[in-house]
């Protein structure tokens, strides 16, 4: 992968190992409790499994968000107005170009956790950021605030017309519904979680016995989030990149957080990140929300 500036996004060592992956896995397995960032789920197989998750019956977020986006086009158009540049992922660029021949598409591949420099073609346009899927929920609040702030910078807040942000945020609901959404009967989410071990074994020369681990989705009520863990079902020892690790039965590797919001916590998170909520929409069953926000101007006085 390269960025728009041609700088390699993935740094590899002489053996072709992704250095950041190895660093995160070794650090994560070396700490207590063990935890590995969720971004490493998405190798080719993980991305394919995530696509399947969006289609299983219990995983409601994608359907609920798609319902909102499909039914509220008129509201968005009215509030957003014409003439804002939109940025898209490269994978969807060709498809979008074919579907909307009149829409110029400028794909940029970059790490969105940092300020991204946008193509010159959209430099002068007022911007609308679009961040669907409740991906913001994968971050702990501190990191989510950092991301919201870097989005302000990417979209040119404090440099002319204030940018807008259309963002999907999943809602707190019955914990049984949430746990099923992250532990579907068909086992697709379990396969998605377990694939991380396969990836570690393949890419980092790991010897983790997959049969010693089970997928678990837990609702953490204090922090309002679903946690995904890989639970050791027996005492286990293994190596990764030549380093040895042991786990006791019942010990877990924490692999993902998916925070859920109420209208107030969603609003507070956006405000903390420098965005003022303007409007909020939900699907018919009130499962998921999409919010429109405007970059808040800096001010010292109340
Ligand atoms: C794409 C990150 C929003 O947290 O719901 C789905 C990922 N993990 N099932 C989510 C995911 C397990 C998903 N996000």
């Amino acid at each position: 992968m390269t960025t728009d500036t041609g700088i390699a996004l993935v740094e590899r060592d002489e053996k072709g190992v992704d250095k950041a992956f190895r660093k995160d896995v070794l650090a994560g397995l070396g700490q207590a409790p063990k935890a590995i960032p969720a971004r490493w789920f998405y190798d080719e197989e993980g991305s394919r499994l995530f696509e399947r998750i969006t289609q299983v019956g219990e995983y409601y977020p994608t359907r609920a968000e798609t319902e909102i986006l499909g039914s509220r086009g008129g509201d968005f158009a009215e509030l957003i107005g014409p003439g804002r540049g939109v940025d898209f992922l490269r994978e969807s660029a060709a498809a979008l170009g074919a579907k909307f021949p009149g829409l110029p598409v400028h794909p940029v591949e970059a790490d969105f956790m940092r300020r991204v420099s946008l193509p010159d073609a959209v430099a002068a346009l007022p911007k609308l950021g679009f961040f669907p899927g409740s991906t913001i929920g994968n971050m702990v609040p501190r990191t989510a605030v950092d991301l919201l702030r870097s989005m302000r910078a990417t979209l040119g807040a404090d440099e002319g017309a204030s940018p807008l942000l259309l963002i999907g945020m999943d809602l707190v609901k019955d914990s049984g519904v949430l746990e099923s959404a992250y532990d579907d009967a068909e086992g697709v989410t379990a396969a998605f979680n377990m694939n991380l071990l396969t990836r570690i074994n393949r890419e980092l020369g790991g010897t983790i016995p997959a049969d010693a681990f089970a997928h678990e989705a837990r609702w953490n009520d204090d922090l309002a989030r679903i946690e995904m863990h890989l639970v050791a079902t027996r005492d286990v020892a293994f190596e990764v990149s030549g380093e040895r690790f042991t786990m006791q039965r019942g010990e877990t590797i924490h692999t993902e957080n998916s925070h859920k919001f109420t209208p107030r916590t969603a609003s507070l998170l956006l405000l903390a990140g420098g965005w003022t909520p303007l409007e909020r929409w939900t699907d018919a069953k009130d499962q998921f929300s999409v919010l429109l926000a405007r970059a808040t101007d800096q001010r010292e006085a109340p």
Side-chain angles (χ1 to χ4, degrees):
M1 255 196 295
T2 58
T3 64
D4 53 317
T5 52
I7 297 163
L9 216 55
V10 178
E11 262 197 75
R12 298 185 183 278
D13 73 3
E14 51 300 329
K15 288 184 189 146
V17 175
D18 182 329
K19 288 188 191 171
F21 182 41
R22 181 173 52 209
K23 181 167 172 272
D24 279 0
V25 170
L26 292 180
L29 293 177
Q31 74 190 28
K34 292 179 165 40
I36 296 172
R39 58 186 289 227
W40 300 112
F41 280 140
Y42 301 92
D43 64 353
E44 227 174 278
E45 176 68 0
S47 303
R48 204 182 59 77
L49 284 166
F50 177 67
E51 289 299 315
R52 276 186 61 198
I53 287 173
T54 64
Q55 289 165 26
V56 302
E58 296 94 329
Y59 193 76
Y60 63 85
T62 310
R63 280 188 305 278
E65 186 178 48
T66 304
E67 175 193 322
I68 301 167
L69 295 175
S71 63
R72 303 303 191 143
D75 293 4
F76 299 152
E78 194 178 311
L79 286 158
I80 292 162
R84 283 188 188 257
V86 184
D87 57 283
F88 292 93
L89 297 175
R90 179 177 297 188
E91 301 90 75
S92 33
L96 283 165
K99 207 165 170 189
F100 304 101
L103 181 74
V105 178
H106 304 278
V108 174
E109 265 181 72
D111 179 353
F112 60 61
M113 295 302 290
R114 298 188 196 169
R115 186 196 176 125
V116 177
S117 63
L118 298 181
D120 291 343
V122 300
L125 295 171
K127 309 293 188 303
L128 166 68
F130 179 44
F131 200 61
S134 201
T135 298
I136 193 80
N138 277 174
M139 286 145 231
V140 297
R142 177 185 169 153
T143 314
V145 165
D146 286 347
L147 172 59
L148 289 167
R149 288 181 171 269
S150 67
M151 284 177 177
R152 287 179 99 260
T154 295
L155 299 172
D158 311 323
E159 294 169 15
S162 59
L164 297 177
L165 177 64
L166 190 61
I167 184 168
M169 298 175 86
D170 195 12
L171 297 172
V172 170
K173 58 183 60 66
D174 175 76
S175 60
V177 172
L178 286 167
E179 284 174 349
S180 301
Y182 290 82
D183 190 8
D184 58 279
E186 211 190 314
V188 184
T189 309
F192 175 71
N193 199 8
M194 295 287 289
N195 180 58
L196 182 62
L197 301 180
T198 310
R199 182 179 188 186
I200 291 171
N201 286 345
R202 186 185 61 240
E203 294 187 26
L204 303 179
T207 60
I208 308 176
D211 65 357
F213 288 89
H215 166 67
E216 192 176 297
R218 298 183 187 160
W219 172 246
N220 181 329
D221 197 54
D222 287 335
L223 296 172
R225 69 192 191 193
I226 281 282
E227 297 178 0
M228 294 210 315
H229 292 261
L230 290 162
V231 190
T233 53
R234 54 176 161 87
D235 292 358
V236 60
F238 54 84
E239 280 187 16
V240 174
S241 272
E243 286 189 33
R244 193 179 154 78
F245 298 93
T246 57
M247 293 178 70
Q248 291 189 336
R249 180 190 169 150
E251 197 184 334
T252 80
I253 305 171
H254 184 173
T255 51
E256 187 180 57
N257 291 317
S258 199
H259 291 82
K260 307 302 168 186
F261 303 92
T262 66
R264 282 199 174 96
T265 62
S267 172
L268 183 59
L269 185 65
L270 288 171
L271 288 165
W275 295 91
T276 304
L278 299 177
E279 189 69 74
R280 171 183 182 274
W281 299 268
T282 60
D283 58 296
K285 288 194 227 153
D286 238 331
Q287 295 187 105
F288 197 94
S289 64
V290 172
L291 295 101
L292 182 70
R294 179 185 295 282
T296 317
D297 291 331
Q298 283 288 8
R299 50 177 289 154
E300 302 300 330

